[in-house]
Amino acid sequence: MLKIAIQAKGRLNEDTMRLLADAGIRASGGSRKLLTRAKGFPTDLLFLRDDDIPQAVAMGVADIGVVGLNEVLENDCRVEQVARLGFGACRLALAIPKGTPYTGLGWFDGRRVATSYPRILAGFFDSHDIRAEIHEIAGSVEVAPAVGMADAIFDIVSSGDTLVQNGLVEVETAVSSEAVLIATPGLPPDKRAELDKLRFRFDSVTASRGMKYVVMNLPRQAVERAVAILPGMKSPTVLPLADPAWAALHVVIRDDELWEKIEQLKEAGAEDILVVPLENIIR
Ligand code: PRT
Ligand code: ZN
């Protein structure tokens, strides 16, 4: 039976539990316990701090885990990266006090940079031949320049609001991160087979994220125009209606294009447009 390491609480916990639930897997004892048997798939859930997940998976304490790519890279553990999961997106970036004239990466030569990700930062500076002083601090990295502890910071950024609030400007991105599924290298065949099944479920859940199923009626002579409005997608399904002058069109549309496409389809003559959430796309 697979043991999955999951962040006990924090930013990735909710999205991870939702991914599991959408894949038909529920924690039977809730997420309050360290270890709990799951329902809907033969697996145990092990709730850990995110920093500990790469090592737990590398050691085989858990067979697989869900964690930010940033933690995998910083811990430099021997784990297999199985899949990107499409949530927890962020980047590791260098930021300097607002108003500082920035001349490019050479600016960091001889400067003090505060971070909780010293290993990733050292690798980034090395690859660019920059000699800077890296100061590892555990929390509130963004206040380090204001209190005189550092000239710059290297930290996780998502919206960028924290940098703005602290009078900092992002100048370089070193790594783009998101939640990833990791596995112990060399899993035995039975566990590998279970992981493949689980991955199939995760893939069908992530494929449907950001997509809607759209159903509409339209005059037969408008079908060609409607199909032309939906480029790049597999041919929509066109079904005859009882009235031979009309047809029904079914299509999957990405959320970011939804309203634009619907407006165009309406102009082409579409009526009774139903937008339905998509749970899974099984391929
Ligand atoms: O308790 P535990 O050790 O498990 O959790 P934690 O406190 O170490 O981590 P947590 O829960 O904060 O983050 C878990 C993971 O979420 C990280 O390892 C990243 O992979 C991912 N993630 C995504 C983020 C962010 N977005 C994020 N914005 N992690 C942290 N932040 C912080 C960042 O440190 C900064 O302080 O949010 C601030 C910046 O946010 P913006 O939106 O203002 O730019
Ligand atoms: Zn942590």
Side-chain angles (χ1 to χ4, degrees):
M1 186 180 304
L2 282 178
K3 198 178 279 179
I4 312 182
I6 285 166
Q7 192 189 24
K9 46 185 192 282
R11 285 166 201 267
L12 298 184
N13 171 271
E14 205 175 298
D15 284 337
T16 307
M17 296 312 284
R18 190 161 63 98
L19 172 66
L20 290 172
D22 290 348
I25 303 164
R26 283 175 198 284
S28 55
S31 56
R32 295 286 160 260
K33 288 198 248 161
L34 175 65
L35 184 67
T36 185
R37 181 66 39 99
K39 285 188 182 143
F41 196 82
T43 180
D44 284 330
L45 308 180
L46 179 63
F47 293 96
L48 298 178
R49 285 199 57 186
D50 69 344
D51 319 54
D52 298 331
I53 292 176
Q55 204 188 349
V57 172
M59 290 167 60
V61 171
D63 304 298
I64 60 174
V66 175
V67 69
L69 178 62
N70 50 302
E71 291 299 332
V72 178
L73 298 176
E74 182 60 25
N75 286 284
D76 193 25
C77 289
R78 227 170 62 81
V79 292
E80 180 193 342
Q81 282 180 41
V82 180
R84 290 184 166 249
L85 297 172
F87 58 86
C90 57
R91 55 198 185 272
L92 274 164
L94 283 159
I96 63 173
K98 196 177 157 200
T100 310
Y102 183 66
T103 46
L105 263 176
W107 183 89
F108 287 97
D109 258 322
R111 309 264 179 175
R112 298 165 305 158
V113 186
T115 186
S116 315
Y117 293 89
R119 194 189 287 254
I120 297 176
L121 181 58
F124 179 73
F125 278 154
D126 274 354
S127 68
H128 291 89
D129 244 357
I130 302 292
R131 309 261 165 275
E133 265 180 53
I134 298 175
H135 291 264
E136 181 174 357
I137 51 177
S140 303
V141 171
E142 63 279 359
V143 302
V147 298
M149 276 173 67
D151 304 308
I153 67 158
F154 179 67
D155 199 11
I156 293 182
V157 181
S158 62
S159 67
D161 289 351
T162 304
L163 294 184
V164 172
Q165 281 158 18
N166 289 280
L168 298 166
V169 183
E170 185 176 345
V171 288
E172 306 282 347
T173 299
V175 177
S176 294
S177 179
E178 68 182 277
V180 289
L181 180 64
I182 55 173
T184 310
L187 280 180
D190 56 331
K191 287 191 173 175
R192 170 58 59 179
E194 284 178 3
L195 171 57
D196 288 344
K197 275 193 201 161
L198 190 67
R199 212 186 141 183
F200 176 78
R201 292 195 192 186
F202 284 178
D203 284 349
S204 62
V205 172
T206 46
S208 68
R209 290 264 158 87
M211 304 282 205
K212 294 284 186 294
Y213 192 70
V214 182
V215 181
M216 72 209 77
N217 293 335
L218 75 176
R220 270 224 152 262
Q221 82 260 19
V223 168
E224 210 176 313
R225 204 174 139 207
V227 171
I229 290 167
L230 305 163
M233 289 155 209
K234 277 199 193 142
S235 301
T237 309
V238 182
L239 300 169
L241 291 183
D243 180 344
W246 284 76
L249 196 123
H250 293 209
V251 68
V252 174
I253 302 184
R254 288 210 325 263
D255 282 345
D256 57 355
E257 297 187 310
L258 183 69
W259 290 105
E260 189 197 325
K261 296 292 177 201
I262 283 182
E263 281 153 18
Q264 293 172 6
L265 290 164
K266 259 180 112 243
E267 265 172 44
E271 292 181 6
D272 307 324
I273 304 174
L274 301 183
V275 179
V276 187
L278 251 187
E279 273 191 23
N280 291 296
I281 297 182
I282 317 260
R283 293 203 165 99

mmCIF file of all heavy atoms in Angstrom, residues 117-152:
data_model
loop_
_atom_site.group_PDB
_atom_site.id
_atom_site.type_symbol
_atom_site.label_atom_id
_atom_site.label_comp_id
_atom_site.label_asym_id
_atom_site.label_seq_id
_atom_site.Cartn_x
_atom_site.Cartn_y
_atom_site.Cartn_z
ATOM 1 N N TYR A 117 16.489 30.041 1.221
ATOM 2 C CA TYR A 117 16.834 29.058 0.177
ATOM 3 C C TYR A 117 18.305 29.202 -0.236
ATOM 4 O O TYR A 117 18.602 29.497 -1.396
ATOM 5 C CB TYR A 117 15.884 29.226 -1.032
ATOM 6 C CG TYR A 117 14.472 28.859 -0.685
ATOM 7 C CD1 TYR A 117 13.590 29.818 -0.184
ATOM 8 C CD2 TYR A 117 14.034 27.552 -0.804
ATOM 9 C CE1 TYR A 117 12.298 29.471 0.183
ATOM 10 C CE2 TYR A 117 12.752 27.192 -0.438
ATOM 11 C CZ TYR A 117 11.888 28.161 0.053
ATOM 12 O OH TYR A 117 10.620 27.811 0.416
ATOM 13 N N PRO A 118 19.235 28.996 0.741
ATOM 14 C CA PRO A 118 20.648 29.259 0.446
ATOM 15 C C PRO A 118 21.225 28.340 -0.630
ATOM 16 O O PRO A 118 22.057 28.782 -1.416
ATOM 17 C CB PRO A 118 21.339 29.006 1.796
ATOM 18 C CG PRO A 118 20.401 28.141 2.571
ATOM 19 C CD PRO A 118 19.025 28.554 2.135
ATOM 20 N N ARG A 119 20.766 27.094 -0.690
ATOM 21 C CA ARG A 119 21.365 26.165 -1.647
ATOM 22 C C ARG A 119 20.992 26.540 -3.087
ATOM 23 O O ARG A 119 21.832 26.568 -3.973
ATOM 24 C CB ARG A 119 20.893 24.749 -1.344
ATOM 25 C CG ARG A 119 21.714 23.689 -2.045
ATOM 26 C CD ARG A 119 21.058 22.349 -1.876
ATOM 27 N NE ARG A 119 21.186 21.826 -0.542
ATOM 28 C CZ ARG A 119 22.012 20.831 -0.213
ATOM 29 N NH1 ARG A 119 22.799 20.304 -1.122
ATOM 30 N NH2 ARG A 119 22.040 20.377 1.011
ATOM 31 N N ILE A 120 19.709 26.853 -3.296
ATOM 32 C CA ILE A 120 19.271 27.239 -4.649
ATOM 33 C C ILE A 120 19.971 28.536 -5.059
ATOM 34 O O ILE A 120 20.452 28.678 -6.182
ATOM 35 C CB ILE A 120 17.730 27.416 -4.717
ATOM 36 C CG1 ILE A 120 17.046 26.080 -4.417
ATOM 37 C CG2 ILE A 120 17.307 27.960 -6.080
ATOM 38 C CD1 ILE A 120 15.526 26.157 -4.352
ATOM 39 N N LEU A 121 20.053 29.472 -4.089
ATOM 40 C CA LEU A 121 20.677 30.765 -4.416
ATOM 41 C C LEU A 121 22.157 30.593 -4.745
ATOM 42 O O LEU A 121 22.658 31.174 -5.724
ATOM 43 C CB LEU A 121 20.487 31.750 -3.260
ATOM 44 C CG LEU A 121 21.074 33.140 -3.501
ATOM 45 C CD1 LEU A 121 20.475 33.790 -4.747
ATOM 46 C CD2 LEU A 121 20.862 34.054 -2.281
ATOM 47 N N ALA A 122 22.856 29.749 -3.949
ATOM 48 C CA ALA A 122 24.286 29.532 -4.209
ATOM 49 C C ALA A 122 24.478 28.952 -5.609
ATOM 50 O O ALA A 122 25.371 29.370 -6.358
ATOM 51 C CB ALA A 122 24.873 28.598 -3.152
ATOM 52 N N GLY A 123 23.615 28.016 -5.988
ATOM 53 C CA GLY A 123 23.694 27.408 -7.323
ATOM 54 C C GLY A 123 23.457 28.454 -8.409
ATOM 55 O O GLY A 123 24.160 28.479 -9.431
ATOM 56 N N PHE A 124 22.482 29.320 -8.165
ATOM 57 C CA PHE A 124 22.155 30.358 -9.155
ATOM 58 C C PHE A 124 23.323 31.334 -9.319
ATOM 59 O O PHE A 124 23.749 31.636 -10.439
ATOM 60 C CB PHE A 124 20.890 31.104 -8.707
ATOM 61 C CG PHE A 124 20.471 32.207 -9.645
ATOM 62 C CD1 PHE A 124 19.896 31.912 -10.877
ATOM 63 C CD2 PHE A 124 20.652 33.536 -9.293
ATOM 64 C CE1 PHE A 124 19.513 32.929 -11.751
ATOM 65 C CE2 PHE A 124 20.279 34.560 -10.153
ATOM 66 C CZ PHE A 124 19.707 34.252 -11.386
ATOM 67 N N PHE A 125 23.873 31.799 -8.181
ATOM 68 C CA PHE A 125 25.012 32.732 -8.252
ATOM 69 C C PHE A 125 26.221 32.057 -8.914
ATOM 70 O O PHE A 125 26.890 32.658 -9.750
ATOM 71 C CB PHE A 125 25.379 33.255 -6.861
ATOM 72 C CG PHE A 125 24.511 34.405 -6.389
ATOM 73 C CD1 PHE A 125 24.317 34.651 -5.027
ATOM 74 C CD2 PHE A 125 23.914 35.263 -7.298
ATOM 75 C CE1 PHE A 125 23.537 35.715 -4.591
ATOM 76 C CE2 PHE A 125 23.119 36.332 -6.877
ATOM 77 C CZ PHE A 125 22.932 36.556 -5.516
ATOM 78 N N ASP A 126 26.499 30.803 -8.520
ATOM 79 C CA ASP A 126 27.642 30.085 -9.119
ATOM 80 C C ASP A 126 27.518 30.015 -10.632
ATOM 81 O O ASP A 126 28.476 30.257 -11.362
ATOM 82 C CB ASP A 126 27.729 28.648 -8.582
ATOM 83 C CG ASP A 126 28.518 28.597 -7.292
ATOM 84 O OD1 ASP A 126 29.077 29.644 -6.908
ATOM 85 O OD2 ASP A 126 28.545 27.519 -6.655
ATOM 86 N N SER A 127 26.291 29.684 -11.090
ATOM 87 C CA SER A 127 26.120 29.508 -12.542
ATOM 88 C C SER A 127 26.277 30.830 -13.275
ATOM 89 O O SER A 127 26.471 30.847 -14.480
ATOM 90 C CB SER A 127 24.770 28.858 -12.850
ATOM 91 O OG SER A 127 23.750 29.765 -12.527
ATOM 92 N N HIS A 128 26.177 31.952 -12.551
ATOM 93 C CA HIS A 128 26.368 33.266 -13.190
ATOM 94 C C HIS A 128 27.660 33.935 -12.747
ATOM 95 O O HIS A 128 27.852 35.133 -12.993
ATOM 96 C CB HIS A 128 25.171 34.181 -12.890
ATOM 97 C CG HIS A 128 23.917 33.737 -13.583
ATOM 98 N ND1 HIS A 128 23.032 32.844 -13.028
ATOM 99 C CD2 HIS A 128 23.426 34.030 -14.807
ATOM 100 C CE1 HIS A 128 22.037 32.626 -13.873
ATOM 101 N NE2 HIS A 128 22.259 33.326 -14.955
ATOM 102 N N ASP A 129 28.513 33.157 -12.048
ATOM 103 C CA ASP A 129 29.814 33.688 -11.644
ATOM 104 C C ASP A 129 29.715 34.903 -10.746
ATOM 105 O O ASP A 129 30.514 35.847 -10.860
ATOM 106 C CB ASP A 129 30.620 34.071 -12.904
ATOM 107 C CG ASP A 129 31.862 33.201 -12.995
ATOM 108 O OD1 ASP A 129 32.059 32.400 -12.065
ATOM 109 O OD2 ASP A 129 32.603 33.353 -13.987
ATOM 110 N N ILE A 130 28.743 34.896 -9.857
ATOM 111 C CA ILE A 130 28.570 36.021 -8.922
ATOM 112 C C ILE A 130 29.073 35.588 -7.555
ATOM 113 O O ILE A 130 28.755 34.490 -7.081
ATOM 114 C CB ILE A 130 27.068 36.414 -8.808
ATOM 115 C CG1 ILE A 130 26.480 36.783 -10.173
ATOM 116 C CG2 ILE A 130 26.862 37.519 -7.777
ATOM 117 C CD1 ILE A 130 27.004 38.040 -10.780
ATOM 118 N N ARG A 131 29.881 36.442 -6.918
ATOM 119 C CA ARG A 131 30.356 36.150 -5.558
ATOM 120 C C ARG A 131 29.614 37.076 -4.601
ATOM 121 O O ARG A 131 29.955 38.245 -4.496
ATOM 122 C CB ARG A 131 31.858 36.437 -5.420
ATOM 123 C CG ARG A 131 32.723 35.805 -6.466
ATOM 124 C CD ARG A 131 33.379 34.508 -5.976
ATOM 125 N NE ARG A 131 33.903 33.781 -7.120
ATOM 126 C CZ ARG A 131 33.179 32.951 -7.880
ATOM 127 N NH1 ARG A 131 31.905 32.723 -7.609
ATOM 128 N NH2 ARG A 131 33.708 32.346 -8.918
ATOM 129 N N ALA A 132 28.583 36.537 -3.959
ATOM 130 C CA ALA A 132 27.825 37.341 -2.989
ATOM 131 C C ALA A 132 27.848 36.630 -1.645
ATOM 132 O O ALA A 132 28.181 35.451 -1.573
ATOM 133 C CB ALA A 132 26.398 37.508 -3.484
ATOM 134 N N GLU A 133 27.507 37.368 -0.583
ATOM 135 C CA GLU A 133 27.418 36.751 0.749
ATOM 136 C C GLU A 133 25.979 36.304 0.960
ATOM 137 O O GLU A 133 25.072 37.147 0.938
ATOM 138 C CB GLU A 133 27.700 37.815 1.812
ATOM 139 C CG GLU A 133 29.115 37.884 2.298
ATOM 140 C CD GLU A 133 29.223 38.990 3.345
ATOM 141 O OE1 GLU A 133 28.448 38.996 4.323
ATOM 142 O OE2 GLU A 133 30.067 39.880 3.147
ATOM 143 N N ILE A 134 25.795 35.018 1.196
ATOM 144 C CA ILE A 134 24.430 34.518 1.395
ATOM 145 C C ILE A 134 24.171 34.361 2.891
ATOM 146 O O ILE A 134 24.916 33.664 3.585
ATOM 147 C CB ILE A 134 24.236 33.179 0.654
ATOM 148 C CG1 ILE A 134 24.429 33.403 -0.854
ATOM 149 C CG2 ILE A 134 22.862 32.589 0.958
ATOM 150 C CD1 ILE A 134 24.389 32.140 -1.693
ATOM 151 N N HIS A 135 23.127 35.038 3.383
ATOM 152 C CA HIS A 135 22.772 34.949 4.807
ATOM 153 C C HIS A 135 21.484 34.163 4.935
ATOM 154 O O HIS A 135 20.439 34.601 4.462
ATOM 155 C CB HIS A 135 22.561 36.340 5.409
ATOM 156 C CG HIS A 135 23.825 37.122 5.520
ATOM 157 N ND1 HIS A 135 24.566 37.184 6.667
ATOM 158 C CD2 HIS A 135 24.495 37.839 4.603
ATOM 159 C CE1 HIS A 135 25.643 37.924 6.459
ATOM 160 N NE2 HIS A 135 25.624 38.341 5.206
ATOM 161 N N GLU A 136 21.581 32.994 5.576
ATOM 162 C CA GLU A 136 20.379 32.176 5.722
ATOM 163 C C GLU A 136 19.571 32.664 6.912
ATOM 164 O O GLU A 136 20.091 32.753 8.021
ATOM 165 C CB GLU A 136 20.769 30.705 5.927
ATOM 166 C CG GLU A 136 19.529 29.838 6.064
ATOM 167 C CD GLU A 136 19.830 28.354 6.133
ATOM 168 O OE1 GLU A 136 21.010 27.965 6.017
ATOM 169 O OE2 GLU A 136 18.860 27.595 6.309
ATOM 170 N N ILE A 137 18.302 33.012 6.664
ATOM 171 C CA ILE A 137 17.415 33.309 7.791
ATOM 172 C C ILE A 137 16.113 32.545 7.608
ATOM 173 O O ILE A 137 15.701 32.253 6.486
ATOM 174 C CB ILE A 137 17.164 34.830 8.014
ATOM 175 C CG1 ILE A 137 16.724 35.530 6.733
ATOM 176 C CG2 ILE A 137 18.369 35.524 8.592
ATOM 177 C CD1 ILE A 137 16.418 37.008 6.975
ATOM 178 N N ALA A 138 15.497 32.209 8.741
ATOM 179 C CA ALA A 138 14.383 31.256 8.681
ATOM 180 C C ALA A 138 13.071 31.904 8.244
ATOM 181 O O ALA A 138 12.336 31.348 7.444
ATOM 182 C CB ALA A 138 14.219 30.590 10.037
ATOM 183 N N GLY A 139 12.783 33.092 8.743
ATOM 184 C CA GLY A 139 11.477 33.667 8.394
ATOM 185 C C GLY A 139 11.581 35.156 8.144
ATOM 186 O O GLY A 139 12.619 35.766 8.414
ATOM 187 N N SER A 140 10.501 35.768 7.649
ATOM 188 C CA SER A 140 10.435 37.217 7.403
ATOM 189 C C SER A 140 11.673 37.747 6.693
ATOM 190 O O SER A 140 12.240 38.774 7.077
ATOM 191 C CB SER A 140 10.228 37.985 8.712
ATOM 192 O OG SER A 140 9.069 37.539 9.340
ATOM 193 N N VAL A 141 12.063 37.059 5.657
ATOM 194 C CA VAL A 141 13.227 37.457 4.865
ATOM 195 C C VAL A 141 13.058 38.882 4.315
ATOM 196 O O VAL A 141 14.015 39.647 4.234
ATOM 197 C CB VAL A 141 13.409 36.442 3.696
ATOM 198 C CG1 VAL A 141 14.450 36.900 2.711
ATOM 199 C CG2 VAL A 141 13.777 35.071 4.254
ATOM 200 N N GLU A 142 11.799 39.222 4.012
ATOM 201 C CA GLU A 142 11.542 40.497 3.327
ATOM 202 C C GLU A 142 11.858 41.731 4.174
ATOM 203 O O GLU A 142 11.975 42.835 3.632
ATOM 204 C CB GLU A 142 10.095 40.550 2.804
ATOM 205 C CG GLU A 142 8.997 40.501 3.850
ATOM 206 C CD GLU A 142 8.671 39.093 4.347
ATOM 207 O OE1 GLU A 142 9.290 38.114 3.875
ATOM 208 O OE2 GLU A 142 7.817 38.980 5.238
ATOM 209 N N VAL A 143 12.011 41.556 5.497
ATOM 210 C CA VAL A 143 12.333 42.738 6.312
ATOM 211 C C VAL A 143 13.844 42.929 6.456
ATOM 212 O O VAL A 143 14.293 43.969 6.948
ATOM 213 C CB VAL A 143 11.670 42.711 7.724
ATOM 214 C CG1 VAL A 143 10.159 42.602 7.613
ATOM 215 C CG2 VAL A 143 12.238 41.587 8.575
ATOM 216 N N ALA A 144 14.638 41.973 6.000
ATOM 217 C CA ALA A 144 16.096 42.023 6.217
ATOM 218 C C ALA A 144 16.757 43.313 5.691
ATOM 219 O O ALA A 144 17.565 43.915 6.408
ATOM 220 C CB ALA A 144 16.765 40.777 5.632
ATOM 221 N N PRO A 145 16.437 43.779 4.480
ATOM 222 C CA PRO A 145 17.096 45.011 4.021
ATOM 223 C C PRO A 145 16.738 46.224 4.892
ATOM 224 O O PRO A 145 17.613 47.034 5.225
ATOM 225 C CB PRO A 145 16.582 45.189 2.585
ATOM 226 C CG PRO A 145 16.193 43.811 2.159
ATOM 227 C CD PRO A 145 15.648 43.161 3.402
ATOM 228 N N ALA A 146 15.466 46.329 5.287
ATOM 229 C CA ALA A 146 15.029 47.496 6.065
ATOM 230 C C ALA A 146 15.729 47.565 7.419
ATOM 231 O O ALA A 146 15.996 48.658 7.931
ATOM 232 C CB ALA A 146 13.509 47.452 6.257
ATOM 233 N N VAL A 147 16.048 46.413 8.017
ATOM 234 C CA VAL A 147 16.711 46.433 9.329
ATOM 235 C C VAL A 147 18.241 46.370 9.201
ATOM 236 O O VAL A 147 18.947 46.216 10.199
ATOM 237 C CB VAL A 147 16.204 45.294 10.259
ATOM 238 C CG1 VAL A 147 14.719 45.450 10.545
ATOM 239 C CG2 VAL A 147 16.500 43.914 9.683
ATOM 240 N N GLY A 148 18.730 46.464 7.982
ATOM 241 C CA GLY A 148 20.181 46.532 7.763
ATOM 242 C C GLY A 148 20.888 45.192 7.791
ATOM 243 O O GLY A 148 22.113 45.132 7.841
ATOM 244 N N MET A 149 20.123 44.094 7.762
ATOM 245 C CA MET A 149 20.750 42.769 7.794
ATOM 246 C C MET A 149 21.242 42.318 6.429
ATOM 247 O O MET A 149 22.007 41.363 6.334
ATOM 248 C CB MET A 149 19.747 41.724 8.285
ATOM 249 C CG MET A 149 19.650 41.617 9.783
ATOM 250 S SD MET A 149 18.306 40.509 10.233
ATOM 251 C CE MET A 149 18.914 38.954 9.652
ATOM 252 N N ALA A 150 20.743 42.945 5.375
ATOM 253 C CA ALA A 150 21.114 42.499 4.020
ATOM 254 C C ALA A 150 20.892 43.633 3.028
ATOM 255 O O ALA A 150 20.169 44.594 3.315
ATOM 256 C CB ALA A 150 20.269 41.291 3.633
ATOM 257 N N ASP A 151 21.534 43.506 1.862
ATOM 258 C CA ASP A 151 21.333 44.499 0.794
ATOM 259 C C ASP A 151 20.186 44.088 -0.120
ATOM 260 O O ASP A 151 19.625 44.924 -0.843
ATOM 261 C CB ASP A 151 22.607 44.594 -0.065
ATOM 262 C CG ASP A 151 23.828 44.920 0.783
ATOM 263 O OD1 ASP A 151 23.749 45.904 1.543
ATOM 264 O OD2 ASP A 151 24.826 44.173 0.710
ATOM 265 N N ALA A 152 19.885 42.787 -0.125
ATOM 266 C CA ALA A 152 18.877 42.269 -1.049
ATOM 267 C C ALA A 152 18.297 41.003 -0.448
ATOM 268 O O ALA A 152 18.818 40.485 0.553
ATOM 269 C CB ALA A 152 19.526 41.950 -2.386
#
